Amino acid sequence: MKRTRFDVLLPMLLMAALPLPAHAQEPVPAFTVSANVGVFSQYIFRGISYSQEKPAVQGGFDLAHSSGLYLGVWGTNVSGDALPNAVGEIDVYGGYAHAIGDFTLDVGFLQFLFPGGEYNGSGENFNSLELYAGVTWKFLNVKYSQMVTDYFGFNDRSMGMGRGDSDGSYYLEANVNYEFLPGWTAQLHVGRQDVKHYDQYSFTDWKVGVTRNFEGGWQAGLSYVDTNVDKNAYLPICNGNGNGCKQPGDPNWLAFVKRTF
C-alpha cells in the first residue's frame, strides 16, 4: 500500500529543484541519495495483508537527480500463504517528477518481483510491471497505474477459467496527506483495482491514518485499512499453498516505525 514511496522521493526532488539562497556557498548536488528502513505490524498492499497479519521489515534506497529523474529499489518480507512459495517482494521503480507551482507531475514504472513465488500446478509467477502517472496538488494526490503484464500472474494457465490474460488491469487511487499540526499528518486513501477479464477479483480499498514525524528522520504511524474484496474469490489462491491462510481482505490496523537517512 506501493507503497507510497513517492512520499520519500517528493521532498528530495523538490529540494534538488529549488534555487540556492544568495548567501549559499555550496551548489545543490546533482544527485541525492536516501535510504529508509522500518518495522511494520504487517505488510498491506491495496487493502490485502501480504504478510498474513504478521510483522514485516521493509526498506529501500532512492536516487534522485536534480532534473526530476529518479530510480529506487524497495523490499519486504511476505507470507508464502498469501503469495504461494514467495520468499519476499522486491520492487524496482523509476520515473520523472516535475513541479509546476503547487502541482507536481509524476510518471514512471514499477516492477514487482516475488522471488520463488508461483501458482502451484501452473508454474506461473507473480512478477508484474506497472506504468503510472500521477499529479499532486498541495495535500491531494491522484494516481493511475496500469499493468503492461498480467495482473500478478492472472491468466488461463494460472486460473484455468478460459478468460485470457489480464494485462491492461488498472488501479486508480486518491490520497490526502494533510499536516494539521507541525509534524502531524492525517492520511486518507481510496483506491479501485480493476482486474481485466476477472471481474470477481476487482475491489475497492480505503485507509484512514495519522503519521508523526520526529527529528533524525524518524516517523511513526497508525492506520485503519479495509476493502470490499471478494474473500471467497481470493481465498483459494492462498489455500493453494497447502497451508491455508487468513481470510484475505479483512479490516486491519497497521502500525509502523521507520527512519529515512
Side-chain angles (χ1 to χ4, degrees):
M1 22 185 319
K2 241 158 238 172
R3 38 207 179 65
T4 54
R5 290 174 291 282
F6 188 61
D7 292 343
V8 177
L9 284 166
L10 182 57
M12 296 168 55
L13 295 167
L14 293 178
M15 286 297 293
L18 288 175
L20 281 173
H23 61 274
Q25 298 299 316
E26 297 182 2
V28 174
F31 290 94
T32 306
V33 179
S34 73
N36 63 89
V37 63
V39 178
F40 294 70
S41 60
Q42 59 182 306
Y43 169 38
I44 298 179
F45 177 71
R46 296 178 183 172
I48 299 176
S49 179
Y50 278 5
S51 65
Q52 283 289 277
E53 301 180 10
K54 295 178 181 178
V57 177
Q58 304 175 353
F61 296 90
D62 295 287
L63 173 66
H65 188 261
S66 57
S67 65
L69 294 172
Y70 62 87
L71 185 66
V73 61
W74 179 90
T76 180
N77 58 289
V78 301
S79 169
D81 291 335
L83 296 163
N85 308 304
V87 298
E89 176 182 340
I90 301 173
D91 296 347
V92 179
Y93 52 92
Y96 174 76
H98 181 67
I100 305 174
D102 291 331
F103 291 87
T104 300
L105 307 178
D106 178 36
V107 295
F109 73 91
L110 174 57
Q111 173 69 62
F112 300 89
L113 300 170
F114 299 91
E118 62 178 37
Y119 292 91
N120 291 304
S122 70
E124 291 295 300
N125 61 54
F126 302 109
N127 299 343
S128 304
L129 174 63
E130 277 187 343
L131 301 181
Y132 59 81
V135 59
T136 300
W137 174 80
K138 295 183 178 181
F139 55 84
L140 176 63
N141 166 264
V142 178
K143 183 178 178 181
Y144 176 84
S145 304
Q146 181 164 317
M147 286 283 179
V148 295
T149 62
D150 286 330
Y151 170 79
F152 299 108
F154 279 40
N155 55 40
D156 286 341
R157 295 174 294 281
S158 60
M159 308 305 289
M161 297 181 179
R163 299 185 183 179
D165 296 337
S166 58
D167 55 300
S169 300
Y170 69 84
Y171 186 70
L172 178 62
E173 62 184 295
N175 304 282
V176 173
N177 294 279
Y178 182 73
E179 187 175 22
F180 59 94
L181 288 173
W184 290 87
T185 301
Q187 296 183 321
L188 299 174
H189 160 87
V190 62
R192 176 64 183 176
Q193 178 67 68
D194 179 85
V195 184
K196 189 175 180 180
H197 296 148
Y198 298 85
D199 292 341
Q200 72 269 43
Y201 293 96
S202 300
F203 61 89
T204 301
D205 71 284
W206 52 92
K207 179 181 77 171
V208 178
V210 63
T211 61
R212 175 71 165 94
N213 293 324
F214 300 92
E215 293 183 358
W218 289 95
Q219 185 185 66
L222 178 66
S223 58
Y224 178 80
V225 184
D226 201 358
T227 174
N228 68 351
V229 66
D230 185 339
K231 300 173 183 178
N232 292 325
Y234 274 88
L235 192 58
I237 296 177
C238 59
N239 278 341
N241 196 39
N243 299 321
C245 66
K246 294 182 180 295
Q247 193 78 281
D250 282 343
N252 282 296
W253 288 95
L254 173 64
F256 73 88
V257 176
K258 72 176 183 179
R259 187 182 182 189
T260 300
F261 303 88

